[in-house]
Structure formats: structure tokens, C-alpha cells
Amino acid sequence: KTEEINFLCFARLVKALGETRGMHPREAPFTLQRISEDLLREILRCFPIAESYISHIERGTLIENVSNYTGLGASQNLRDLARPIRNARQLLEKIRADERGRRP
């Protein structure tokens, strides 16, 4: 026997599921703060910054510089962007592509 559900009950169910969606995120936030120092340095190398500076700055300054140059917040969840960035490889690819697009 097939169970049937009327449209109003179905709409309520979909609405309830949508409201609980944010309570149990499937992925942990991906932020600049969670990126390794090596990758933060690699990102900064995409910009006109002296290697001697990049190789000697501390983690907090690395994050701040990457944030300033990319326009991304240090604690911003990059998975929530209009075009989500889910991992370090995607972030580096995006930054490299953006920089190629800015060069004459």
C-alpha cells in the first residue's frame, strides 16, 4: 500500500527541514585562520611583496596580510561565499586567477 501526503503537509515538512539545516552543518568552516603558514606564504607570493618579508613574518601577520590583499576576512567562512571555496587548493587557484585577471 502506498502512503500519501497532502501538499500542505509536504510543504510544512520541507519548511521544517530547511529550518533545521543550519543546526547541523555538514562541513566545518574553512577560514584563513585554518590555513597552514606554508600556504599563507604561497598566497602572498601571488602579490608584489618581497620574499624576504614573506619568509620572516609571523602567523598573525601572515593572516592579516592575506586578508588585506585578498579582501577575505580572517575568520570568514569561505564555504559561505557566493562561489564557495572549500579547500586550500581552490583558494590558491582563485587568488592566482584573480591576479592574472588584474594584470595588463
Side-chain angles (χ1 to χ4, degrees), residues 2-94:
T2 303
E3 295 288 329
E4 292 186 20
I5 183 171
N6 70 35
F7 181 77
L8 185 56
C9 288
F10 176 74
R12 286 182 186 146
L13 176 63
V14 170
K15 182 176 186 274
L17 289 173
E19 290 172 351
T20 61
R21 180 187 232 182
M23 293 172 47
H24 304 288
R26 286 185 247 164
E27 297 177 302
F30 178 64
T31 67
L32 296 180
Q33 295 168 332
R34 300 186 69 176
I35 295 175
S36 71
E37 286 187 26
D38 288 341
L39 183 65
L40 291 169
R41 290 180 202 287
E42 186 66 28
I43 290 169
L44 285 182
R45 289 183 181 105
C46 296
F47 301 96
I49 304 170
E51 179 62 34
S52 58
Y53 177 73
I54 292 171
S55 61
H56 290 96
I57 55 178
E58 295 180 0
R59 181 170 182 75
T61 307
L62 278 168
I63 294 169
E64 181 180 346
N65 276 278
V66 169
S67 177
N68 289 337
Y69 276 93
T70 63
L72 301 169
S75 60
Q76 178 181 11
N77 186 355
L78 304 180
R79 291 182 170 131
D80 291 340
L81 295 174
R83 296 187 72 185
I85 299 172
R86 301 195 185 298
N87 57 52
R89 180 189 52 80
Q90 288 178 352
L91 176 60
L92 191 55
E93 287 174 1
K94 178 199 180 316

